Amino acid sequence: MSLSVALLARIAIQLQTGISHQDRFQRLISTLREILDCDASALLRYEQRQFRPLAIDGLSPDVLGRRFRLEAHPRLEAIARAGDVVRFPADTTLPDPYDGLIPGQDSLKVHACVGLPLFNSHTLIGALTLDGLRPDQFDNFSDEELRLISVLAAGALHNALLMEKLEHYNGLPAPLAARDDGPENEINEMIGLSAGIQQLKKEIDVVAPTDLNVLISGETGTGKELVARAIHLGSTRAHKPLVYLNCAALPESVAESELFGHIKGAFTGAISHRSGKFEMAHEGTLFLDEIGELSLPLQAKLLRVLQYGDLQRVGDDRSLHVDVRVLAATNRDLKQEVLAGNFRADLFHRLSVFPVSVPSLRERGEDIALLAGFFCERSRTRLGLARVALAAETLTLLKRYSWPGNVRELAHTLYRAVVLARAAQAGDELRLLPSHFALQAEESSTVIGSESPLQTAEVSTSANDTLRHATDEFQRRMLQNTLAENHNNWAASARQLDVNVANLHRLAKRLGLK
């Protein structure tokens, strides 16, 4: 089958219909998957030497949260460098970024793969990837036909990026508005497509270019520091420092010095002049985390700085003037703290000129898969693994857990699961199973509802335990329980644990079970 004028017109129409860019992009790749008979398709945006998925079809939902850096993905780097249609041979040795990420397909070692780089003038702005399980799946389509598709998609993506720039434009010089802090800049990104996270991003866009103080509220682990960083980077102060201070970690004896500085001889141990956080943040931004932990006397001194911009170093009679924007964060209900007399009402009103609330993870459940993919990809890169994929049942488990520790707990849980999977599975291609997570044991009544091997395989740890010892004990108990469930049938146990039976025998021997 070749692409007729009618089919190309259909693609163009799909790019013009829909309420949002996200909707249009989803229509585009869904249409392409149907017309080109793909098993999977994806539209990727290129920025800061990495591809970010904008829309996918036929791929695991966690792909939307993954960030594919060029140096870690040779196929995508080849697409970025090609300048034209790229058809990868079925026997290519280049690893596939989607290997193990097509539901129902654990491996894509032999298949058809086409990459279409998307350009605005001569600037790479994105790519379309098309995958088929048959090696000859796209042989009927000429390069010229595929180029027409890439031109249509590139035009739509360029228009979307232009609209995004106009919507978010706040008068900043371009280098500041598009600030790049290097390879680790991805940590500054807020992952999610839920209504709650989209509303949060809109509020950040509104308040960032102003000089208003912002009170960021939310539960522990929701990413309040990430919000503060986004506000700072979107402000006219982005070229100046963002200074961080955790108020909860401040001993009362040094809190005033930390905030306002001190002069030599002000107290025992003050052997030299020292600038405080406010001076360090002059013309920039000061982020006061856990502001609710400050003592009432210190709150009064903080209020004066916020009102007049004047401060005094400890032991100094002179006043210094500072120009600082204050962003404060708390996991407490400061209104209730004011009523209880634990927080000054005037300071509360001074800080909460523009309050921002960060939603908990249980309020944005549709983002769990994206976040899981993001942390899996990061783990894969850091540990030098070829693949870290999530089993479908694992995604179900993650979505049904309540996550009291929010995004921070999810991140730590994924990292721990990768370590356990690497210890249990041979090679550098990992598949994370529910057995690699301790979530059932923590909330079995709300997650799965039935007993799992992990519930009877809890590992007790002490200060003297090493990670290797704890991991071995975890694997030993899990293997014992699995063998008992399968009446000592090693093949059935290997299938249940998703490991090679020979590897399972070797693991059992190492653990002293054989």
Side-chain angles (χ1 to χ4, degrees), residues 199-218:
Q199 178 61 32
L200 177 61
K201 290 179 179 180
K202 288 180 182 178
E203 292 176 0
I204 290 172
D205 288 339
V206 168
V207 74
T210 73
D211 234 8
L212 297 178
N213 296 329
V214 180
L215 180 62
I216 307 166
S217 60

Side-chain angles (χ1 to χ4, degrees), residues 98-117:
Y98 306 136
D99 193 13
L101 299 180
I102 292 182
Q105 300 291 331
D106 290 341
S107 177
L108 293 177
K109 298 303 182 185
V110 179
H111 73 299
C113 179
V114 171
L116 308 178

Side-chain angles (χ1 to χ4, degrees), residues 416-417 419-421 423-424 433-441 452-461 465-482 497 507 510-511 513:
R416 184 169 58 247
V419 171
L420 292 173
L433 306 171
S435 58
H436 297 129
F437 297 81
L439 304 183
Q440 299 100 318
S452 71
L454 203 57
Q455 287 174 277
T456 56
E458 296 179 33
V459 180
S460 61
T461 60
D465 278 342
T466 64
L467 177 61
R468 178 61 180 267
H469 173 79
T471 302
D472 287 350
E473 185 64 21
F474 176 90
Q475 292 175 324
R476 187 178 294 109
R477 295 189 184 183
M478 177 175 288
L479 183 51
Q480 288 172 332
N481 288 327
T482 306
L497 295 172
L507 177 63
R510 184 177 68 79
L511 296 174
L513 297 179

Side-chain angles (χ1 to χ4, degrees), residues 166-200:
L166 291 173
E167 290 169 357
H168 295 170
Y169 178 71
N170 52 26
L172 296 180
L176 300 183
R179 189 180 179 98
D180 178 8
D181 290 332
E184 292 300 318
N185 191 52
E186 61 181 297
I187 199 172
N188 293 333
E189 183 184 358
M190 279 179 282
I191 306 295
L193 296 173
S194 64
I197 205 70
Q198 293 303 314
Q199 178 61 32
L200 177 61

Side-chain angles (χ1 to χ4, degrees), residues 56-91:
I56 60 173
D57 196 9
L59 293 168
S60 177
D62 62 275
V63 171
L64 278 175
R66 295 178 183 253
R67 302 297 179 257
F68 300 106
R69 300 201 68 81
L70 293 192
E71 54 267 28
H73 295 282
R75 287 205 197 196
L76 294 179
E77 184 175 23
I79 295 172
R81 293 180 179 277
D84 198 3
V85 176
V86 180
R87 297 177 185 263
F88 293 96
D91 58 352

Side-chain angles (χ1 to χ4, degrees), residues 202-270:
K202 288 180 182 178
E203 292 176 0
I204 290 172
D205 288 339
V206 168
V207 74
T210 73
D211 234 8
L212 297 178
N213 296 329
V214 180
L215 180 62
I216 307 166
S217 60
E219 297 177 7
T220 297
T222 51
K224 297 185 288 294
E225 184 178 353
L226 198 64
V227 173
R229 193 178 296 122
I231 293 173
H232 173 71
L233 291 177
S235 74
T236 56
R237 300 172 180 263
H239 62 292
K240 295 293 184 177
L242 169 64
V243 178
Y244 171 85
L245 180 63
N246 185 351
C247 300
L250 276 179
E252 186 66 28
S253 58
V254 300
E256 186 175 355
S257 174
E258 281 292 320
L259 279 168
F260 310 122
H262 63 255
I263 63 172
K264 182 178 179 180
F267 51 83
T268 303

